[in-house]
Structures are given as C-alpha cells and as structure tokens.
Amino acid sequence: MIKSILFLLSLLFIFPFASDKKKPKATIVIKNAIVHTMDSKNTIAECIALRGNEIIYVGKQDKIDRYINKKTKVIDAHKQVVLPGFIDAHTHPISLASFDLEVKGYKMERLLKELKTYIATHPNNKTIIGVGGFAYNDPKFDISKLDEIAPNIPIVLVETDGHGGWINSKGLALLNDLSTTHFSENSFFEKDKEGQYTGVIIEAKAYYYAIGKLLKSKENLPEFDDRFKALSKEYNSLGYTCVFDATAGNYDVSDVLFKRLAKISNDITLRIEASYLTSDLEELKTAQVNTSNLKKHSTELFNINTIKVFMDGTMEGYNAALDVPYKDTDNLGNLFFSGEDFQDELVNLALNNFDIHFHAIGPKAIHEAVVASQKIRQNGADVKLTIAHAELIRDEDYKVIIENDIIINTTPLWHSYDDFTFTALGQERFNKIWRYNQILEKDGHVTFGTDHPSSYSLSPFEHIQTAVTRQNKYSGNKKLADENQKFSVQDAVKAFTLSAAYQLGLSNELGSIEIGKNADLILINQDIFSIDKTEIKSTKVTTTIFNGEVVYSE
C-alpha cells in the first residue's frame, strides 16, 4: 500500500516535467505585455508564444518559460499593449501604386501646381496617371488647364473621391475608339454644347477605360513594383498586416495590375484581398467570367473573390442616391442599379460563392443593396455581403441588415462635421448620418476601412480617435448631433481586427490573438484603452509581426 502511494506521488512530480519537455518551443515569445486578444470574450493576457506563423500560447506570465529555448527570440514588451494586426477593410493600394502622382487633398490649385512640378522633375515620363483634387472646388475646370501644363504628354487624373477625373487632349488622342465605345448614362466623357470633349470624366467606368489605354502604352510597369513594396512597408509601420483592395479598375486594368502584383507578392509583407468593379448591368453580367479569369493571378498572400458593386456617387458630389432631393435643388442623385435583373445577377454571383461588396452612400442606394442582399439570403447563399460607406441608412433597413448578416463597412475619419455634407443635406438629414451603434447593439458587424487615398490618413489610430470622439482636425468645435453614436475604443479596434477578418472570410485565421491563428500582431507605445481619447491619434506602432516574422520595428 505504501509503495503504491509513493509510486503515485512520484508520477505527480515526473509528468509535469515530462509534459514541459513535450511543449513545442517558440520562435518568438512576447512577455510582460498587456495583450488585448480581441477574442469573443475580450480576454486580456500577459504573454504570447509563436511558432513559425502560428500562435501556440496566449496566457499568464508564469507559464511562458516552458516555450523558450536558446533559439527563441524573446521580446520584453515592458507593459506595451499587444493587438492583432490591423486589417484595412476598404482601401486602394493597387490603384495607388499604379499612379505616377498622388496629390493629397481636394484643392484643384494644388493638383495643378504639383502636376506641373512632377512633369518638370520627370522629363522621361511618356504618360502620367495621377490622383487628387475635387471637381466641386472648381466647377469651371476644363481641358485647357491641363493642355497648358502638358501639351505633349497624355494625362489622366482621378478625383480624390474616385467618382470622376480629367484628361488632356493628348490623352484623348490615345482613345482612338472613344466615339464607338459604349459607356453608360452614369459614366462618360463630358462634352460641351458644341459636342467637343471638355476633359471632364464622369465616374469610374469611363476613367478606367482611359487608364487602361495609358497603361497599355507603357512598355512595362517597374515603377508599380517599387511603389507597392513601399506601400506595403508603410502599411506595416502603421500596424496593418492585411488589406482589402476595394477596386483596382475594370478588367483590362485589373488584369495588368494583378499580374504584376502576383509576381511580387512573395516579397510583400501584407495579405491582400482584392475585388473586381462593376458599375452597370452590362459589367455585372460579365463579372463572373471576368473575376474567374482574374483569379488566375491569386497567390498564397493575394486573393481575388469579391465583386464590388457601385450603387451611387457621393454626398459632396451631389450624386449619392437620396430619397428626398439635395437641399435647395430638385436633384435626387444617381442610382446605378435597381430591379429584379440586378438582383438576379447578384444572386447568381453569390450562389457561385463570390462575396459582394456594395458602394452605397445615399439611403436609396443603401436600400437597394439591402433588398438585393435579402434576396441573396433567401436563395440560400452564405457569402459575405458588405455595404461600404452607408452614410444615411433608412430606419427600417437596420432590422433587415441585422437579420441578414449584412456587414457595414465605414471610414471613421468621416464621422465628424464637414461643410460639404452639411450643405448638401441640411440640418435634419445631417443629424442622421453615420449611425451604427444600433447594429453593434444587436451583435451585427461593422468594419473600418481607411478608403485611402480618398481619405487623408492611413493611420488606424486617427480613424479610431475620430470614431470614439466624432471629431477630427477639420471639424473644429462643430459636433455631430447624436453623441450616442460614438464608438467605444473596444468596438473601434474590433472593427479594424476581428470584424474586418469576418468581412474577408478570414476570422478563423486572423483578427484575434488565439491559439492556432496566424501570427499577425502588433505592439503599440501607449494604452489606447485607458488614455485620454484625444491622444489616441498620436499612438505609434513599435513592432509589427507578420506571418510570425518581425517586419517592422521602431
């Protein structure tokens, strides 16, 4: 009897040590940290162990040593906050890398000034594709202003908001089949009363046609490789490890750029989910074939499985689709899609396992997207349905959004007072914009995307601060009406992490710090959950780990 007891006691001493020896050793350990895991229970841990690109331990400090050996890289966080790698759930890096010139802001004077400087400093460029400016600031803009600066170089410029652009005479000369090419009533090359082209391009279908022609005139695109790699590093420095590119262009443009990106994807420290753009029924009917063809460019880190559907324009451009006309006008904006044919095409795409990402800003456009999404669900398709921007949602649509698992994607930097939208809508409607807490309260999904370069900042912390304060550097002391619509810091971070991963169908791999998930995470220099909310935007990333490797360190 005594021998049996002694034997059992010996097992208690032996097996803990034996089990420790069997523990897999970590390649990286982060200890002495405040780990906001962003899991479903909002667990806060003290340390993490990574083995290759997998998280193998999340928990208390007293158990971490068993994962460490001589080869383990140990990071003492010194009580820094650790978060999952951020996911920018609506942005445009692929297009941006294809542009020769990016001019930040909306002023046309600045756009023309920087264009002139660019031409002078890049004399060997045979074509120029750029982004910047906003037509609302210069409604009298015409082709002569571009021709004066660049009489001999084809130029296409895209508005900052992505809903229009400009082209010079040399650019028009490259479009040798322009007169016989069909566009749509919502997207075209503007003409004056005499039937001459003004140089103004309306909406994406037309300007991507022009960009496609200019890209084909380039002998190659080595600039794209370097620009995208640089963008990837910039995203890493801000804490991003994954992005959703919400349109690189039409089929011709996407095919050129996706092929280029696929070749360099192994050299990029960023996961990229991409989409294919449709803005009329003709494009929607060819979306399945075209997107399937584009999928040939997919790699381990680059995937294309989303159809983007342009439903309307923007509030500031007075072409988002409204229920009641813009203030002091009879203009209801532009609705690009509606009706059964539209819905049936989307159902077919969804049943073929394509995710759908709507651009819908005005209430009429949002409603049409909601109705189409409801029909998709009624037909049994279990794909991701996202409505991006969703600035002014009808009260009755919230219930349908929640019941049909429709994801709302928004750019929080815009959750503040702005003169453009206030002037367009008037006080009563302006008081109802950017309302999402009724979705969060019902456990619905709201995700964040920077929409860069349409927004002026890539920093997730500037976006988070605006979401929790509903003010930014442009709003001054003016506030939005509904203070109850402020995000909590927890919900704002979730919108950049776990919810964003859900939107992309990656929540089993990304978005939270849990055992078995991919080792994408960041360390930041201050606790955004406890500091004054007006200090969040000053937060810096000190370390970014992507796929289990340190890719950025301050």
Side-chain angles (χ1 to χ4, degrees):
M1 181 70 178
I2 294 175
K3 286 183 179 180
S4 297
I5 293 172
L6 289 173
F7 175 73
L8 290 172
L9 287 172
S10 70
L11 291 179
L12 292 175
F13 285 100
I14 293 169
F15 277 99
F17 293 105
S19 64
D20 276 0
K21 288 180 181 179
K22 292 179 182 177
K23 290 288 184 186
K25 300 306 179 184
T27 48
I28 296 178
V29 158
I30 302 171
K31 63 180 185 178
N32 194 24
I34 303 170
V35 183
H36 285 262
T37 64
M38 302 308 299
D39 66 8
S40 60
K41 297 179 180 179
N42 293 326
T43 305
I44 299 178
E46 297 174 343
C47 51
I48 310 166
L50 314 177
R51 183 175 177 82
N53 65 353
E54 183 181 355
I55 299 169
I56 60 172
Y57 176 74
V58 183
K60 296 288 187 181
Q61 191 82 13
D62 58 4
K63 295 181 180 179
I64 195 64
D65 286 346
R66 66 185 68 179
Y67 294 92
I68 299 173
N69 63 15
K70 292 179 180 181
K71 295 181 179 179
T72 304
K73 178 182 177 67
V74 178
I75 299 173
D76 188 334
H78 298 289
K79 297 300 180 183
Q80 287 186 96
V81 167
V82 180
L83 295 169
F86 285 133
I87 300 168
D88 190 338
H90 186 108
T91 187
H92 301 276
I94 300 176
S95 289
L96 189 56
S98 72
F99 294 150
D100 301 293
L101 173 68
E102 179 195 3
V103 179
K104 297 183 184 298
Y106 300 98
K107 298 294 184 183
M108 295 302 294
E109 298 90 341
R110 181 175 178 179
L111 173 63
L112 295 175
K113 181 180 179 181
E114 293 196 26
L115 174 62
K116 190 173 183 179
T117 300
Y118 182 86
I119 292 171
T121 55
H122 296 77
N124 295 325
N125 272 36
K126 296 179 181 179
T127 62
I128 296 174
I129 303 170
V131 60
F134 183 40
Y136 185 88
N137 286 321
D138 189 0
K140 295 181 179 180
F141 185 91
D142 64 31
I143 200 166
S144 65
K145 294 184 179 181
L146 283 181
D147 287 348
E148 182 181 345
I149 295 172
N152 301 312
I153 306 170
I155 292 176
V156 175
L157 302 174
V158 179
E159 273 190 275
T160 297
D161 71 353
H163 288 269
W166 306 274
I167 188 168
N168 68 347
S169 294
K170 272 290 184 181
L172 283 169
L174 279 180
L175 313 184
N176 50 21
D177 56 351
L178 179 56
S179 61
T180 58
T181 300
H182 173 70
F183 294 101
S184 72
E185 60 179 338
N186 295 311
S187 184
F188 51 88
F189 290 80
E190 184 182 77
K191 292 182 179 180
D192 60 22
K193 293 179 180 179
E194 285 73 41
Q196 300 299 310
Y197 290 109
T198 66
V200 174
I201 309 174
I202 307 299
E203 284 294 348
K205 184 171 186 175
Y207 71 65
Y208 275 127
Y209 161 80
I211 288 173
K213 295 287 187 179
L214 263 67
L215 286 177
K216 284 184 178 180
S217 73
K218 292 176 180 283
E219 293 180 3
N220 52 51
L221 283 171
E223 309 98 332
F224 177 86
D225 301 6
D226 292 338
R227 289 173 191 154
F228 201 95
K229 288 176 184 178
L231 270 173
S232 173
K233 293 300 182 186
E234 183 179 3
Y235 275 105
N236 292 158
S237 72
L238 294 168
Y240 297 107
T241 55
C242 179
V243 298
F244 171 67
D245 189 291
T247 296
N250 61 16
Y251 180 80
D252 288 341
V253 173
S254 296
D255 191 43
V256 170
L257 299 181
F258 288 0
K259 180 180 180 180
R260 198 83 200 185
L261 183 56
K263 288 181 178 179
I264 62 170
S265 64
N266 289 335
D267 300 323
I268 293 169
T269 51
L270 199 64
R271 303 178 202 282
I272 307 147
E273 295 288 320
S275 61
Y276 174 67
L277 174 66
T278 63
S279 57
D280 60 31
L281 197 58
E282 179 185 19
E283 290 180 326
L284 199 59
K285 287 179 177 179
T286 60
Q288 181 175 340
V289 171
N290 286 342
T291 308
S292 297
N293 287 339
L294 290 171
K295 288 171 76 71
K296 67 189 176 188
H297 301 304
S298 296
T299 69
E300 184 179 352
L301 297 177
F302 175 47
N303 182 53
I304 309 105
N305 194 59
T306 300
I307 312 295
K308 183 176 179 181
V309 182
F310 252 149
M311 296 296 296
D312 64 351
T314 66
M315 294 293 192
E316 61 272 16
Y318 284 65
N319 50 12
L322 301 185
D323 296 320
V324 177
Y326 287 92
K327 185 181 178 184
D328 300 328
T329 77
D330 58 0
N331 174 23
L332 287 167
N334 299 329
L335 181 65
F336 297 176
F337 289 103
S338 64
E340 290 190 5
D341 287 348
F342 159 63
Q343 295 166 10
D344 290 344
E345 291 295 336
L346 287 180
V347 168
N348 179 61
L349 288 168
L351 290 173
N352 281 279
N353 296 314
F354 289 102
D355 296 330
I356 310 296
H357 189 92
F358 299 94
H359 163 111
I361 288 180
K364 195 170 185 178
I366 297 167
H367 179 72
E368 291 293 341
V370 168
V371 170
S373 297
Q374 188 176 31
K375 189 168 183 178
I376 288 170
R377 294 293 187 230
Q378 289 169 348
N379 279 271
D382 185 23
V383 296
K384 301 305 179 188
L385 304 174
T386 303
I387 302 177
H389 311 311
E391 291 185 16
L392 186 57
I393 303 173
R394 292 180 185 176
D395 290 340
E396 62 267 27
D397 281 338
Y398 283 100
K399 185 173 184 290
V400 185
I401 286 169
I402 294 162
E403 289 176 347
N404 289 276
D405 191 25
I406 301 169
I407 302 155
I408 297 297
N409 173 269
T410 181
T411 298
L413 204 61
W414 299 334
H415 297 187
S416 61
Y417 179 90
D418 77 271
D419 287 325
F420 284 134
T421 308
F422 181 84
T423 301
L425 295 180
Q427 186 71 65
E428 183 178 353
R429 283 181 293 184
F430 188 74
N431 288 347
K432 294 183 177 181
I433 57 175
W434 299 301
R435 297 180 299 159
Y436 307 116
N437 275 349
Q438 43 267 69
I439 297 172
L440 295 174
E441 288 167 359
K442 298 293 185 179
D443 295 323
H445 296 280
V446 178
T447 67
F448 285 172
T450 64
D451 204 12
H452 188 71
S454 293
S455 76
Y456 64 81
S457 178
L458 263 178
S459 167
F461 304 107
E462 192 162 4
H463 284 265
I464 289 170
Q465 178 171 313
T466 306
V468 302
T469 64
R470 284 168 80 84
Q471 286 185 293
N472 61 27
K473 65 182 182 181
Y474 291 115
S475 61
N477 294 323
K478 296 179 180 179
K479 295 183 178 181
L480 296 178
D482 195 345
E483 291 285 301
N484 293 325
Q485 293 297 327
K486 292 177 179 178
F487 278 68
S488 68
V489 176
Q490 187 76 24
D491 283 336
V493 173
K494 184 179 178 182
F496 264 132
T497 53
L498 188 57
S499 291
Y502 182 81
Q503 175 191 312
L504 303 183
L506 297 173
S507 56
N508 289 331
E509 297 88 33
L510 305 175
S512 60
I513 300 174
E514 299 181 73
I515 293 172
K517 284 197 170 186
N518 287 8
D520 289 8
L521 46 89
I522 62 173
L523 284 73
I524 59 178
N525 70 341
Q526 56 183 355
D527 188 349
I528 60 175
F529 297 91
S530 63
I531 61 173
D532 188 299
K533 292 180 175 60
T534 61
E535 297 298 320
I536 292 174
K537 69 179 181 181
S538 64
T539 304
K540 302 294 182 186
V541 173
T542 61
T543 302
T544 299
I545 296 174
F546 169 74
N547 247 4
E549 296 184 4
V550 176
V551 296
Y552 171 79
S553 183
E554 192 176 53

